[in-house]
Amino acid sequence: MTILCEPAALAGQLSPALGGDVRPAETLDEATRLLAADPAETLVVIGSAIDLDEALAFTAGLRVERPSAGVVLLRDVLDVGVLTRALRAGVREVVAQDDLAALVDACTRSRALSAQVTGIPLPRVDERRHGQVVTVFAAKGGCGKTTLAVNLAASLAAGGERAVCLVDLDLAFGDVGICLRAEPVRTIVHGLGMVGHVDAAGASSLLTACRPGLSALLAPVEPGDAERIPAALVGELLEVLPTMFDFVVVDTPSAFSEHVLAAMDASHHHVLLTTPDVPSLKNLRVTLDMLDLLSYSHDIRSVVLNRSDSKVGLTMDDVERVVRSDIRAHVPSSRDVPISVNKGNPIVLDQPRHPVSEAITRFGREHVLAEPVAASRSSKRWFR
């Protein structure tokens, strides 16, 4: 998205060249308010109708307060004096008002610089092959679902060979940010204005850089914001994010909802987590029956048994008899896992040779990195 500061009569001539979502501001005060309302915004274009001294004062302040945001300045006449003053104030590019091609190039360069400052990758374009969506779900809380999602995403991104996005879809009580010690400056709630027209640039503006190769779309932090997120926004984001990343790992709440089903619909892989206790196994059995009822393919389904070595009076035969499905991974229990959570560093990165790390990494390598099934359902559910 871009903030265009220019009177409405002139802004209409420039908006088509900027592409995507353009938010108009007739004054610099209005542009300041738009910036304050959207911490993810990284580009302001100031038109030639705005007084030069005011534009440069605005830019100088922005350079200190929001170094990730850039200003592209348009002028009717370009001279050395204007260029010198603009560069001193922190303007990234000065472009002739009527040179739309140069404006497009300047905006592209400014966004690229902002991406380097924030650590968020630029959207990839013209991708012929989309990344995979992997949804992690458990119908009972306390199974370690978020820990598995975070560590699976971190293991897929390890080494920087793959770009991975971790989506926190537990909108009311999401803990992905805490597990990664990621500051929730930008969250999914900032995408409310994009509903119906989410694009790669807009999706990128919502992300938080966590580790090399790993970004996150964090859950809201303010009370009541979870109820404001429509399932349609989730569906649109999960269509766009796979064009930007090799893998999109979705952490979910412990209940079926429209948002969870939107993620299930978009997924190439369902990772269903349980622990060796009767309530968890019963809820897993109900989950499997529900997925069958909704006609999701068995081929994209993986059951993972967490804390598999717990001595709780159930044998592996007991577990398999209840689940009636192959168990693709056995993740042992360890007190090192909550320690890693408290440190904000996934155990697969903190202790890659730990038995828990090896189990999760092996699961990702053998089952997630395998060629995905083409379609997850015989028919898609649509939300409006």
Side-chain angles (χ1 to χ4, degrees):
M1 292 182 288
T2 303
I3 294 174
L4 174 58
C5 188
E6 185 80 320
L10 299 175
Q13 303 172 14
L14 300 172
S15 295
L18 297 176
D21 294 325
V22 176
R23 288 181 288 183
E26 296 215 355
T27 66
L28 290 171
D29 286 340
E30 188 175 351
T32 300
R33 288 193 293 272
L34 289 174
L35 279 168
D38 186 0
E41 183 59 74
T42 60
L43 179 60
V44 180
V45 175
I46 301 178
S48 60
I50 305 300
D51 179 76
L52 178 61
D53 290 335
E54 294 180 3
L56 298 184
F58 170 87
T59 304
L62 189 65
R63 181 170 60 174
V64 175
E65 297 171 6
R66 291 270 289 273
S68 62
V71 172
V72 173
L73 181 65
L74 303 179
R75 294 289 97 179
D76 289 325
V77 177
L78 300 183
D79 57 50
V80 174
V82 170
L83 294 174
T84 301
R85 292 182 61 195
L87 292 176
R88 286 175 178 172
V91 173
R92 288 187 179 172
E93 305 243 4
V94 183
V95 179
Q97 177 82 9
D98 58 354
D99 193 344
L100 298 184
L103 173 60
V104 172
D105 291 341
C107 290
T108 299
R109 288 190 291 269
S110 181
R111 290 193 186 99
L113 180 57
S114 294
Q116 293 178 348
V117 172
T118 61
I120 300 297
L122 282 174
R124 299 182 298 176
V125 295
D126 297 329
E127 291 285 349
R128 296 183 180 180
R129 185 175 182 179
H130 288 194
Q132 297 183 41
V133 178
V134 181
T135 295
V136 181
F137 180 79
K140 181 179 179 297
C143 290
K145 171 180 50 58
T146 297
T147 301
L148 176 63
V150 169
N151 280 277
L152 178 60
S155 69
L156 291 171
E161 296 180 3
R162 291 175 289 271
V164 179
C165 179
L166 178 58
V167 177
D168 193 345
L169 208 55
D170 191 347
L171 300 175
F173 301 103
D175 289 329
V176 164
I178 291 174
C179 291
L180 292 170
R181 288 201 173 180
E183 187 68 25
V185 175
R186 296 165 287 191
T187 73
I188 191 173
V189 77
H190 291 99
L192 286 174
M194 306 178 193
V195 177
H197 48 85
V198 176
D199 60 12
S204 181
S205 74
L206 305 177
L207 303 179
T208 299
C210 299
R211 301 287 190 283
L214 177 62
S215 299
L217 176 57
L218 299 177
V221 294
E222 296 296 329
D225 278 350
E227 287 73 23
R228 299 171 58 199
I229 309 299
L233 176 60
V234 174
E236 289 184 67
L237 285 167
L238 292 180
E239 286 184 3
V240 173
L241 289 173
T243 69
M244 302 161 56
F245 294 90
D246 299 304
F247 289 93
V248 178
V249 179
V250 184
D251 183 32
T252 57
S254 299
F256 281 112
S257 65
E258 287 188 340
H259 304 81
V260 172
L261 291 173
M264 294 287 193
D265 282 349
S267 294
H268 299 85
H269 206 130
H270 297 158
V271 179
L272 308 175
L273 188 66
T274 189
T275 50
D277 58 84
V278 172
S280 295
L281 293 171
K282 183 270 294 183
N283 285 4
L284 174 60
R285 185 64 258 163
V286 172
T287 297
L288 294 171
D289 291 341
M290 177 67 75
L291 296 180
D292 288 342
L293 183 64
L294 294 173
S295 301
Y296 289 108
S297 171
H298 285 232
D299 295 334
I300 65 169
R301 188 179 300 171
S302 289
V303 174
V304 174
L305 183 64
N306 195 22
R307 304 171 196 142
S308 59
D309 56 350
S310 300
K311 307 300 182 182
V312 292
L314 292 178
T315 67
M316 197 53 57
D317 289 339
D318 295 329
V319 173
E320 292 177 348
R321 185 168 57 252
V322 174
V323 174
R324 301 200 303 272
S325 180
D326 292 339
I327 297 175
R328 298 287 180 85
H330 296 75
V331 181
S333 59
S334 173
R335 67 178 184 177
D336 293 328
V337 174
I339 291 174
S340 73
V341 171
N342 291 337
K343 291 167 59 178
N345 196 27
I347 193 169
V348 296
L349 302 180
D350 197 32
Q351 301 181 59
R353 296 188 181 277
H354 193 282
V356 171
S357 302
E358 291 181 342
I360 295 174
T361 301
R362 183 167 55 250
F363 169 74
R365 183 176 62 250
E366 294 178 357
H367 299 288
V368 178
L369 291 176
E371 190 68 22
V373 176
S376 60
R377 289 190 63 195
S378 57
S379 61
K380 291 286 185 181
R381 177 182 288 100
W382 295 97
F383 297 97
R384 299 188 184 279

